[in-house]
Each structure stands twice: as C-alpha cells, then as structure tokens.
C-alpha cells in the first residue's frame, strides 16, 4: 500500500483543519489538525508531503519521525508544523485500522473502557454574576455532563494588563462565582476552572488557596506554559489540583513537566502535540507518576473521535474536553449523529477512526477555495 495524496481543508466559522490521506488501494484516512495560522497550508506543503508520498501509510511511527526530521532544519518541533503533522498522523492511523480491520484503539494497546467521559467547557455565565454562572453550570449538568469547566480570565477591572497581578476585589469575585457554581452542582459533578496562563504564581495561589475547600477537579494553566519551575511552585503549594499541557508539544515537551511533577493532571492536545501515538506516549509517561490524563480538545467531531481512541487506550484517562455544545456544524459533520449523549462518547467499534466525514456538509462550510479535497 502506498500514499498517493495528502489534502487539507479549512472549515468555517470555527477554523477546523481536516486532513485527508489517500492510498493506491482505495483506502482513505481522515485526520484533524489543531487550527492555527497556515496549518491547512503546511499539511499539504511539498516539504512535508515529499516524505509521505509513495510510502506505506501503515508505518505510522516511521512516517511521524520522517515528518519531524524533514522539518527539523527549521526547528519546527512545535507550533503550526507539529499541528499539521498531528493531523496527518491521525489520518495514517485511520488508514491502518481500516487496512487491518480493527479500530484505532486496538492498535494503541486495546481499550480500558467503552465510554469516554466528556467534560463540557462552558467558559462563562451569561452575565458576570454568581447566579448566572450557577445557572449555566446547572444547565450543562442537566444535559448529562458530570464534569464542567469555566474560565477565570482577567476582568476589565484588572488594574494592570501586564503584571499578572489580581486585585483583592477580583479574587473575591472569582471565589464568589466558583463557590456559587460548586453549591449549585451535585457534589459528585466535577467542576474545573481555567486561568488561561494569565497570572503570577503568588497571585493565582491566593485564588487556589481560596478554592481548596471547594473540591475542584482542577485549576488549569495558572501560570504561563514556558516556565515549568513556576508551574511546579504553584502545583506544590496548593491542595487545589493543577492541570496543564495544552501548549506543550510531543513527549519531549512534556518530559520536564512530568518528571518535575509540575502538574497534578496533564492535558495534551493531540491535534497539535504529535497525534495519537504521541498522546499515548505522553499518557504513559504521566502514568509513571500516577498523573491522570485529561486531553485538551477544541476539535470538530473528526479530531474528537480520534482522541477518544487514545482516551480508551490509556489507563490513566480522566475526561476529554468538549467545546461545542449545540454547535450544529459539529453535530452534522459526521454521517453518524449524536456522538455525545449523556456527557459521554461511545468508543467506536468499526475499523479505523470509526466515523465518516459528511463530505457534503464539510464542503458547505469550507472556508477557503483550496479545492475541496479532490476538486
Ligand atoms: Mg485551557
């Protein structure tokens, strides 16, 4: 079997990037790369595809390393290039699974579970009040999610946009909002809070300390991702569990974070961190320190189902992010519908990815006239 073409499309309004890999035996694989500037162009750039065309797509790890190597002269082990590589790697697994006649999770070591627990990212309340946040949390819980996430981004009242400090008033507001949500939810419904890398260690620790008796699932990205020591300081200073990882790339990028136990939970985004096998490797590395896996995910259904295979095959899986509740395009991009019910996604059972892109829907929402895959 040989790869004959690599194509990509960019969708709208949410800029999902889909990658399609074709073979000379009629098997086609589909993957999804994390969106970002130029990712859909990089996925089909000749400097990348020249190491794929004519090769056996089933040698997934070899081709992953070949893709990394061909871009290494530019040091592109991360960012948009690694996102493009991630989407291609997923498509190669889809082909391999179909060729062998088995779901991808089987190729990653087999499954630990039949349902994938999804957590719903709600972002914020309809208004900046504790009551509004509590209403939004309750509404997500009523839809069947037993894990829910909200953001505590800097407020307009923040005194200075650059020093990463939080005023006492804003700390009080964050605590009031999160307390209201915690009290509104069933005690067994997990609540996570995302700080989006905005804060200084000493300031976010004031918030983390105040959250300690609220039994949060985690506080995410308290400090910027590039300084693991600062992250470790926060993690080791509070009983509130700290989660990070969506801006780390490949197992190499996670090594220092995990070896220093700088997070209590890791959240790689497999659509940019290197794809599915790299996701399983990161999960295994985290598992050596008994650290759970909660992948970051803002993909459409193709990328989300791809990630579900790693979630099924990783013993330390905790929950997978879902970002697109009531997004009609998300719900119609695959031939199979209602992929998430009652806060969970069934692990697929058919060969390869296990769901099929609805090409007509994808064509209707393609953003740029790159030629829709085969046009
Ligand atoms: Mg996040």
């Amino acid at each position: 079997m040989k790869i004959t073409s690599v194509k990509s499309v960019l969708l709208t309004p949410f800029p999902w990037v889909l990658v399609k890999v074709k073979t000379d035996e009629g098997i086609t694989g589909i993957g999804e790369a994390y969106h970002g500037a130029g990712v859909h162009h990089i996925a089909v750039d000749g400097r990348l595809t020249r190491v794929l065309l004519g090769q056996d797509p089933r040698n997934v790890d070899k081709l992953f390393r070949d893709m990394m190597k061909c871009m290494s002269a530019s040091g592109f082990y991360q960012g948009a290039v690694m996102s493009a590589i991630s989407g291609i790697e997923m498509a190669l697994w889809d082909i391999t699974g179909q060729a062998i006649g088995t779901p991808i999770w089987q190729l990653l070591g087999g499954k630990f579970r039949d349902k994938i627990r999804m957590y719903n990212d709600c972002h914020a309340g309809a208004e900046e009040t504790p009551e509004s946040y509590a209403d939004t949390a309750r509404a997500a819980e009523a839809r069947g999610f037993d894990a829910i996430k909200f953001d505590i981004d800097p407020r307009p009242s923040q005194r200075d946009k650059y020093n990463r400090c939080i005023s006492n008033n804003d700390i009080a507001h964050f605590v009031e909002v999160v307390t209201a949500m915690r009290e509104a939810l069933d005690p067994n419904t997990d609540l996570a809070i995302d700080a989006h890398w905005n804060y200084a260690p000493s300031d976010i620790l004031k918030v983390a300390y105040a959250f300690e008796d609220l039994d949060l699932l985690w506080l995410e990205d308290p400090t910027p991702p590039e300084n693991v020591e600062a992250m470790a300081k926060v993690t080791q200073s509070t009983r509130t569990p700290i989660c990070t990882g969506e801006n780390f790339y490949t197992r190499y990028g996670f090594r220092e974070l995990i070896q220093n136990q700088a997070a209590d939970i890791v959240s790689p985004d497999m659509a940019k961190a290197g794809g599915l096998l790299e996701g399983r490797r990161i999960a295994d590395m985290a598992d050596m320190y008994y650290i759970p896996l909660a992948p970051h995910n803002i993909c459409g259904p193709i990328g989300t189902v791809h990630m579900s295979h790693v979630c099924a095959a990783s013993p330390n899986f905790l929950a997978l992010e879902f970002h697109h509740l009531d997004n009609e395009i998300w719900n119609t991009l695959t031939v199979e519908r209602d992929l998430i019910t009652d806060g969970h996604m069934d692990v697929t059972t058919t060969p390869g990815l296990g769901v099929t892109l609805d090409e007509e829907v994808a064509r209707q929402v393609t953003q740029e006239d790159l030629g829709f895959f085969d046009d």
Side-chain angles (χ1 to χ4, degrees):
M1 184 186 291
K2 288 183 168 51
I3 297 171
T4 54
S5 73
V6 179
K7 301 285 174 93
S8 70
V9 292
L10 176 63
L11 306 184
T12 185
F14 205 89
W16 293 315
V17 176
L18 299 179
V19 180
K20 186 188 275 189
V21 177
K22 287 191 153 190
T23 68
D24 63 351
E25 294 188 14
I27 297 178
T28 297
I30 188 103
E32 181 167 352
Y34 188 86
H35 72 276
V39 172
H40 60 294
H41 289 302
I42 295 167
V44 297
D45 189 288
R47 285 165 288 188
L48 197 54
T49 59
R50 70 180 171 80
V51 301
L52 298 167
L53 297 175
Q55 298 298 311
D56 188 331
R58 296 167 294 186
N59 294 321
V60 182
D61 195 20
K62 173 187 179 295
L63 294 179
F64 174 72
R65 287 163 196 260
D66 287 345
M67 287 191 283
M68 279 186 72
K69 194 165 190 298
C70 79
M71 290 299 195
S72 63
S74 306
F76 289 146
Y77 288 130
Q78 47 191 343
V81 170
M82 189 49 69
S83 296
I85 290 174
S86 302
I88 294 169
E89 194 256 15
M90 290 183 189
L92 299 179
W93 281 117
D94 186 17
I95 292 169
T96 305
Q98 291 179 62
I100 296 173
T102 190
I104 294 171
W105 52 258
Q106 194 84 65
L107 303 171
L108 296 170
K111 63 181 174 178
F112 287 87
R113 51 194 67 83
D114 295 316
K115 285 184 178 293
I116 300 305
R117 184 193 191 198
M118 310 297 293
Y119 76 84
N120 190 63
D121 191 341
C122 298
H123 306 294
E127 296 168 24
E128 263 307 302
T129 64
E131 297 75 20
S132 179
Y133 274 74
D135 287 346
T136 304
R138 264 192 299 256
E141 184 182 56
R143 302 281 292 272
F145 292 95
D146 68 357
I148 297 165
K149 189 167 84 178
F150 283 82
D151 302 332
I152 52 163
D153 291 323
R155 308 177 74 211
S157 55
Q158 184 168 324
R159 290 192 189 114
D160 187 309
K161 304 298 180 198
Y162 298 99
N163 64 12
R164 303 187 183 281
C165 296
I166 318 174
S167 70
N168 287 340
N169 279 349
D170 285 358
I171 290 172
H173 173 75
F174 293 151
V175 173
E176 192 180 13
V177 161
V178 175
T179 301
M181 289 191 289
R182 187 60 278 173
E183 289 175 352
L185 293 168
D186 184 281
N188 205 41
T189 297
D190 283 321
L191 176 62
I193 300 297
D194 195 341
H196 285 138
W197 320 276
N198 281 305
Y199 302 115
S202 56
D203 283 60
I204 195 63
L205 274 172
K206 294 177 188 173
V207 179
Y209 292 147
F211 286 167
E212 284 184 349
D213 291 332
L214 298 178
D215 294 325
L216 295 185
L217 184 60
W218 67 68
L219 174 61
E220 182 170 325
D221 295 332
T223 55
E226 62 270 10
N227 189 326
V228 168
E229 289 177 349
M231 191 74 72
K233 175 184 173 179
V234 174
T235 298
Q236 288 154 13
S237 299
T238 176
R239 285 191 288 113
T240 297
I242 300 299
C243 174
T244 195
E246 69 181 76
N247 275 334
F248 290 77
Y249 294 82
T250 78
R251 84 202 88 144
Y252 304 107
F254 277 86
R255 184 180 61 85
E256 186 185 8
L257 178 79
I258 291 171
Q259 285 187 340
N260 287 293
Q261 299 175 72
D264 297 298
I265 296 146
V266 289
S267 54
D269 189 321
M270 289 170 258
K272 60 174 164 177
L276 304 187
L277 184 56
E278 204 66 4
R280 175 65 213 257
R281 286 171 170 140
I282 293 163
D284 283 343
M285 195 155 59
D287 196 44
M288 288 197 292
Y289 292 86
Y290 322 112
I291 294 173
L293 172 79
H296 176 261
N297 168 43
I298 56 174
C299 281
I302 296 297
T304 303
V305 176
H306 265 294
M307 292 183 199
S308 77
H309 289 274
V310 177
C311 298
S314 298
N316 49 338
F317 167 71
L318 171 60
L320 172 62
E321 185 163 9
F322 179 50
H323 231 263
H324 298 285
L325 192 63
D326 296 326
N327 178 332
E328 197 51 27
I329 298 172
W330 201 103
N331 292 330
T332 56
L333 257 181
T334 50
V335 173
E336 302 80 4
R337 298 289 163 84
D338 302 319
L339 297 178
I340 297 170
T341 53
D342 229 11
H344 290 74
M345 173 179 275
D346 286 336
V347 174
T348 58
T349 55
T350 52
L353 175 60
V355 295
T356 305
L357 179 72
D358 189 318
E359 299 259 341
E360 279 315 303
V361 173
R363 183 186 291 273
Q364 287 164 19
V365 296
T366 292
Q367 186 169 321
E368 288 184 11
D369 186 20
L370 300 168
F372 180 74
F373 287 137
D374 296 320
D375 290 351

